[in-house]
Amino acid sequence: MSRSLWRHRDFMVLWSGRTLSETGDAISLLAIPLLAVTVLDAGALEVGVLTATRMVAYLLISLPAGVWVDRWPKRMLMVICLLLRAGLVATVAVGAWFGWVTMAQLWIVALLSGVCTVLYETAHHSLVPTIVAPDQLLDANGKMSTTYSVSMIAGYSVGGALISVMGVARTVGLDALAYLGNACSLLLIRRDEPARAEARERHFRRELAEGFSFVFRHPIMPRLVAAAATLNLFSQMIFALSVLYLVRVLRLSEGQVALTLALITIGGVTGGLVSGRLARVVGTARIIWAAPLGLGWLVLLVPASRPGWGMATYTLGMAALSALFAIYNAASISYRQRVCPPELLGRMTASVRWVIFGVMPLGALLGGALGSWIGVRPTLWIAAAGVWASGLWVLLSPLRWMRDLPADTAGKRNEEAIQVG
């Protein structure tokens, strides 16, 4: 039986620092779109572009990020990214305070912050397996998923209260302090990273190709990537229009928007808490298609919502989506980390995230464009149906007949694939 992570000092330090910055993220995710909608009078397309610019970095630098993460010290790279993100968010707070903030500034800050986020997240997913044992990964990723949802609740709740007291403009800057706190926590981790191999001459294209080779010659992983990409594409259409939908269609106040977004994350908390046990009971292969198909239909409650009682149905539908993400991510990330050789973790993570996160700015732009063309509610109907259908990639594959993913067999096959490629 694996040692409890509650007594694992380095994991607890990593976990607590990430929790702090994710709470700050939630404040910004609430405050900045509200700033755009209520202060700058942004429309559906402008809000969609704002969301897209935050995500477009996954298309631009995810692949080289994997090579850099495998070459450079991961913790120091994460610290640098956090410091840069703190500075970028601070410029929005200063601009909002003095009244010269513009949509162009928000787009630029979102783009540059996205670059830092890609590097930070790639390094984080590669760092976790060096801190905890392989049999602790499912527990560790489940805790991270749960904490993300708890942080969203705290951030939205605190953010809503602060917006009511301080105004939406002045609330943004608190995210910068959260990033600084996370950077300090990373410096407290005692465990040294494994030494990086220096046996052969560096070759950027070859190193990049090894990550792709591992992922797309794998007998299982391409199916998981396709399902996750579909889920992200359609869910991002929903997220891009969320604040606009709540404010202008369901006619909620700023405080009600904050409360709704906080309640939604209860689904993520629940999903994160049960993800490990559910995967063991249902099966680590089955849970990947059972989560979107079993919970995805509830997302249809989002476009079905109406002013008045709509806050309740919207919250239930989005909470189901939040739980879906927590359950799916805990199982799929843990599997990828276990079957991947340590020296390829960064490039494997980057290759997967280039696809599954690379579709997110496309989803945001598509949501904004369709919202302007056919209306917000019809766009949400299309997106909700797409979220449910994402599970079909796995259901209509050989994984349908498997209970658990064959980690050992897959790992051996892919080591051979890397040698051939």
Side-chain angles (χ1 to χ4, degrees), residues 74-82 120 123-124 127 186:
K74 297 175 179 58
R75 277 197 293 147
M76 285 300 100
L77 178 61
M78 293 166 70
V79 169
I80 292 170
C81 290
L82 289 167
Y120 172 86
H124 170 80
L127 182 66
L186 288 170

Side-chain angles (χ1 to χ4, degrees), residues 45-64:
L45 183 58
E46 290 175 303
V47 173
V49 172
L50 179 61
T51 304
T53 52
R54 185 167 54 88
M55 296 293 178
V56 74
Y58 287 101
L59 278 174
L60 299 178
I61 69 159
S62 276
L63 294 177

Side-chain angles (χ1 to χ4, degrees), residues 7 20 41 72 99 117 167 173 177 183 204 267 273 279 282 309 312 320 368 379 387:
R7 295 190 293 273
L20 180 62
D41 197 30
W72 300 340
T117 299
L177 297 177
F204 188 87
L273 289 173
V282 177
W309 50 266
T379 301
V387 166

Side-chain angles (χ1 to χ4, degrees), residues 142-374:
K143 283 181 166 57
M144 292 287 185
S145 295
T146 303
T147 303
Y148 173 79
S149 299
V150 173
S151 300
M152 294 297 105
I153 293 175
Y156 289 144
S157 301
V158 172
L162 290 173
I163 288 170
S164 299
V165 175
M166 302 168 54
V168 65
R170 296 179 179 89
T171 304
V172 179
L174 293 177
D175 196 10
L177 297 177
Y179 288 141
L180 293 176
N182 190 6
C184 292
S185 71
L186 288 170
L187 299 176
L188 298 176
I189 294 176
R190 294 174 180 171
R191 183 168 184 140
D192 294 329
E193 296 178 33
R196 293 175 297 281
E198 302 287 349
R200 61 182 180 180
E201 182 182 353
R202 299 263 188 215
H203 192 286
F204 188 87
R205 289 186 179 180
R206 182 177 60 199
E207 293 176 58
L208 201 65
E210 286 175 349
F212 259 110
S213 178
F214 181 86
V215 172
F216 294 104
R217 293 188 182 186
H218 196 284
I220 293 173
M221 211 173 291
R223 310 278 185 168
L224 309 185
V225 170
T230 303
L231 177 60
N232 282 349
L233 175 71
F234 288 103
S235 63
Q236 199 60 38
M237 292 173 63
I238 298 175
F239 294 143
L241 297 175
S242 288
V243 172
L244 191 69
Y245 183 60
L246 291 171
V247 172
R248 296 187 182 167
V249 179
L250 300 186
R251 301 168 195 163
L252 301 185
S253 67
E254 292 178 354
Q256 289 174 320
V257 170
L259 176 61
T260 300
L261 295 178
L263 291 174
I264 286 168
T265 55
I266 293 175
V269 174
T270 304
L273 289 173
V274 304
S275 59
R277 180 174 298 179
L278 197 60
R280 287 187 289 269
V281 172
V282 177
T284 55
R286 289 176 186 163
I287 199 66
I288 296 173
W289 57 262
L293 295 181
L295 293 172
W297 67 272
L298 288 171
V299 182
L300 294 171
L301 293 173
V302 171
S305 302
R306 293 293 184 274
W309 50 266
M311 178 177 171
T313 53
Y314 178 90
T315 301
L316 180 58
M318 292 299 288
L321 180 59
S322 183
L324 190 166
F325 274 114
I327 295 169
Y328 180 90
N329 286 340
S332 61
I333 292 174
S334 300
Y335 174 71
R336 297 199 307 260
Q337 290 170 336
R338 291 199 67 168
V339 301
C340 183
E343 66 275 11
L344 277 176
L345 276 169
R347 283 165 286 169
M348 178 277 293
T349 300
S351 297
V352 171
R353 290 165 74 87
W354 181 70
V355 178
I356 68 176
F357 280 10
V359 301
M360 293 174 76
L362 303 179
L365 288 173
L366 182 59
L370 284 178
S372 296
W373 180 35
I374 64 175

